[in-house]
Amino acid sequence: MYIPFDELPQHARLWIYQASRPLTEAEQSEIKPLLERFATEWSSHGKGLKASARLLYSQFLVLANNESETSASGCSIDKSVHFVKELEQRFSISFFDRTQLAFLKEGEVEQVSLSDLKSKVAAGEIKQDTLYFDTLVNTYGELQASWPRPAGASWLAKYF
């Protein structure tokens, strides 16, 4: 069952996928109904999930489920991964490259390779207060309260 994204409860579980590039307006227009359809049909052991999905900052695909209603099982999570992989093929984009980190700089999403992170920190290009899109955020409440969050308040704190 589809729930509008803005109506998710604070404890709703999230899965965030970072695209390898910003999606064009045309791609976003094409993807949005696919996301709604997936969230509507997403189920766990035959029971419909109370789910939602949204694109954020033209570069992040967020799937969500109200876990207090029905928990996502391993099979339903596999279905979501399969769906995201289908989007990758259809739009010639990657959503699974964990070697790219995304920061918000001057209102734009900037991707930085994990291998370049130390040198960017040393050069002062990335600081503790640089906003980081932490794809490890687990709940809708966290997303609303602190996403993007200062890099120093994320798992990247060890680099400062």
Side-chain angles (χ1 to χ4, degrees):
M1 178 179 151
Y2 177 79
I3 300 173
F5 196 78
D6 296 332
E7 294 177 20
L8 286 164
Q10 296 293 301
H11 62 272
R13 185 174 175 193
L14 299 181
W15 293 266
I16 301 174
Y17 298 92
Q18 178 180 313
S20 54
R21 61 170 172 77
L23 294 158
T24 66
E25 290 293 326
E27 288 171 328
Q28 290 180 59
S29 294
E30 193 174 340
I31 288 174
K32 286 177 184 177
L34 299 174
L35 294 177
E36 188 170 332
R37 187 176 74 221
F38 175 78
T40 300
E41 296 171 357
W42 198 14
S43 64
S44 177
H45 300 291
K47 189 172 181 181
L49 299 177
K50 296 215 173 179
S52 193
R54 180 169 277 177
L55 290 171
L56 298 174
Y57 293 92
S58 303
Q59 202 155 345
F60 301 92
L61 169 64
V62 182
L63 301 178
N65 179 48
N66 182 352
E67 294 278 299
S68 65
E69 297 288 328
T70 304
S71 293
S73 65
C75 291
S76 61
I77 294 169
D78 287 348
K79 287 178 194 172
S80 69
V81 170
H82 181 72
F83 168 71
V84 175
K85 287 186 177 190
E86 286 175 357
L87 292 177
E88 281 187 319
Q89 289 190 340
R90 184 170 179 170
F91 295 96
S92 300
I93 195 167
S94 173
F95 285 105
F96 292 96
D97 183 357
R98 301 292 183 215
T99 66
Q100 295 296 312
L101 307 174
F103 297 89
L104 185 62
K105 295 180 110 182
E106 298 178 15
E108 298 289 324
V109 176
E110 179 182 311
Q111 291 201 45
V112 173
S113 171
L114 186 56
S115 62
D116 293 337
L117 182 62
K118 284 184 184 179
S119 64
K120 297 253 184 202
V121 168
E125 294 175 39
I126 297 174
K127 301 174 183 165
Q128 287 188 33
D129 63 348
T130 302
L131 295 177
Y132 169 61
F133 291 100
D134 189 352
T135 58
L136 301 178
V137 166
N138 289 313
T139 66
Y140 180 73
E142 280 183 89
L143 184 82
Q144 294 301 307
S146 60
W147 199 78
R149 65 175 55 160
S154 74
W155 68 271
L156 296 175
K158 65 184 176 185
Y159 290 96
F160 302 102

